[in-house]
Amino acid sequence: MSKQELEVLGQTQECCPGLLTAPLDEDQATELAKVFKALGDPVRLRLLSMIASRAGGEVCVCDLTPAFDLSQPTISHHLKLLKQAGLIDSERRGTWVYYRLLPEMTDRLAGILTRPAGQPLSRTGQAPVGATS
């Protein structure tokens, strides 16, 4: 049955199951690891935040670079890794490059990490990983 047919019946087929609802296959894990690796650096995380929170939805690299005590080539390298991970896109306008968030990827990450409503985080008596007593 097609997704469209399922929707007509009031059912939806989940295209990207959450991390907590089904195990990832090798390809999914490899793809997601690249995204999480890109987000695992504080500079890249700050850059993504600056781009995503900018009014108008985009920001010039000329406005990003002064916020860091890093060279322009280093900032460009971090932006390149975010772009390769599918988190941002860019457009050259004259001598400047403008960056914008690709919400499809952040929405996908949010969906993957969201626990299904009504489901417990862990079995009774087990503390979540990293919890202290």
Side-chain angles (χ1 to χ4, degrees), residues 1-127:
M1 188 174 285
S2 74
K3 182 176 179 181
Q4 192 173 33
E5 291 168 325
L6 287 171
E7 288 173 349
V8 169
L9 295 174
Q11 303 169 344
T12 57
Q13 185 178 24
E14 199 170 320
C15 70
C16 305
L19 185 65
L20 304 176
T21 60
L24 297 173
D25 66 31
E26 188 174 341
D27 290 339
Q28 290 170 319
T30 300
E31 181 184 346
L32 283 173
K34 290 176 187 174
V35 178
F36 285 119
K37 186 174 181 179
L39 291 173
D41 182 276
V43 171
R44 289 192 289 270
L45 198 51
R46 281 187 62 208
L47 283 166
L48 184 69
S49 175
M50 291 171 73
I51 294 166
S53 64
R54 185 61 156 229
E58 64 181 15
V59 61
C60 178
V61 70
C62 62
D63 295 324
L64 295 171
T65 305
F68 298 89
D69 190 24
L70 299 169
S71 68
Q72 185 276 324
T74 300
I75 296 296
S76 291
H77 173 73
H78 285 297
L79 290 165
K80 175 183 166 188
L81 294 176
L82 289 171
K83 189 172 178 179
Q84 288 173 340
L87 291 160
I88 61 173
D89 200 4
S90 64
E91 179 183 344
R92 178 171 292 282
R93 297 182 196 156
T95 58
W96 297 111
V97 179
Y98 288 78
Y99 291 90
R100 66 182 173 280
L101 178 73
L102 292 176
E104 302 84 17
M105 181 57 80
T106 53
D107 290 350
R108 181 174 175 213
L109 291 176
I112 287 169
L113 296 174
T114 300
R115 183 172 53 90
Q119 297 225 352
L121 182 60
S122 62
R123 289 182 281 173
T124 306
Q126 288 185 332

